[in-house]
Amino acid sequence: GQQLNQSPQSMFIQEGEDVSMNCTSSSIFNTWLWYKQDPGEGPVLLIALYKAGELTSNGRLTAQFGITRKDSFLNISASIPSDVGIYFCAGLQGGSEKLVFGKGTKLTVNP
Amino acid sequence: EPEVTQTPSHQVTQMGQEVILRCVPISNHLYFYWYRQILGQKVEFLVSFYNNEISEKSEIFDDQFSVERPDGSNFTLKIRSTKLEDSAMYFCASSEFQGSSYEQYFGPGTRLTVT
């Protein structure tokens, strides 16, 4: 089915550390999007990926579209306190406008 | 930078009442969406809207829900007879959805509380 398995569910790290999280699915997705959500706010788009194997950066964030089109990874380098929040992966399948979301990775950064 | 706006930020209503949630999508976007997020859970798709009609909807979007673009800027979600389980954050999103851009941009949300 159209499920995205996102891991880890939560991470507790020290400021300055690098972070890695991923999303996997049994289904193929044509587009992967990564969002960050702060408490009580809407998801904010971080990175969009459109091609299998694509590696895209946005500042300290780097995301990759898996070769199989069934997974994606997000890395954050040199974390800072404002990186705290919930990170969601989301995917689009061919012929559909419906974004399928993962359950999120809650990131806590200790100064 | 253009952004999606939503009103109200918080709506409290009694079970059985009708509510209308309002959104102003990004002005040059063609596709509009509603999603909801029950507290502590993932974001779930409700409906997409293009060219003044629903283009896709989920099983959550039953006969109690309707969407409308009453004028050139607003996009609304109506819940006819609210239930306790409708309590959630409701997010509007918009997208160009053409060429290479399938990015959906979300508004800040309306927190709906049904008592």
Side-chain angles (χ1 to χ4, degrees), chain B residues 55-107:
Chain B
S55 47
E56 193 171 350
K57 62 181 182 179
S58 73
E59 59 275 8
I60 302 169
F61 194 88
D62 62 22
D63 291 344
Q64 293 299 312
F65 291 88
S66 62
V67 290
E68 192 179 30
R69 187 153 164 84
D71 53 45
S73 58
N74 289 285
F75 178 52
T76 62
L77 174 69
K78 181 192 292 185
I79 309 175
R80 256 179 279 283
S81 178
T82 50
K83 303 188 280 282
L84 293 176
E85 54 265 36
D86 293 328
S87 295
M89 282 289 283
Y90 287 81
F91 295 108
C92 174
S94 69
S95 171
E96 293 181 23
F97 210 81
Q98 57 184 358
S100 62
S101 180
Y102 299 95
E103 298 155 14
Q104 295 184 21
Y105 293 87
F106 284 72

Side-chain angles (χ1 to χ4, degrees), chain A residues 2-4 31 33 35 37 40-45 48 50 88 92 95-104, chain B residues 31 33 35 37 41-43 45 48-49 55-56 89 91 97 100-109 111:
Chain A
Q2 297 171 336
Q3 290 226 13
L4 293 183
T31 299
L33 305 175
Y35 289 87
Q37 186 179 32
E41 298 185 14
V44 174
L45 182 63
Y50 295 107
F88 289 98
L92 280 171
S96 175
E97 304 146 34
K98 174 177 76 174
L99 265 182
V100 178
F101 277 80
K103 292 185 177 180
Chain B
Y31 287 79
Y33 313 87
Y35 290 80
Q37 185 180 33
Q41 298 188 22
K42 66 179 181 180
V43 178
F45 172 81
S48 60
F49 189 87
S55 47
E56 193 171 350
M89 282 289 283
F91 295 108
F97 210 81
S100 62
S101 180
Y102 299 95
E103 298 155 14
Q104 295 184 21
Y105 293 87
F106 284 72
R111 178 174 298 283

Side-chain angles (χ1 to χ4, degrees), chain A residues 18-82:
Chain A
D18 297 343
V19 169
S20 185
M21 59 192 79
N22 70 83
C23 252
T24 61
S25 176
S26 57
S27 304
I28 287 174
F29 286 84
N30 293 338
T31 299
W32 287 92
L33 305 175
W34 284 91
Y35 289 87
K36 178 175 183 267
Q37 186 179 32
D38 291 329
E41 298 185 14
V44 174
L45 182 63
L46 299 174
I47 291 181
L49 301 158
Y50 295 107
K51 294 180 184 176
E54 180 181 354
L55 187 71
T56 297
S57 293
N58 178 8
R60 293 177 297 104
L61 277 60
T62 301
Q64 184 160 24
F65 192 141
I67 290 289
T68 65
R69 294 200 283 155
K70 294 181 179 180
D71 57 2
S72 180
F73 303 85
L74 176 70
N75 295 315
I76 306 173
S77 64
S79 58
I80 59 178
S82 61

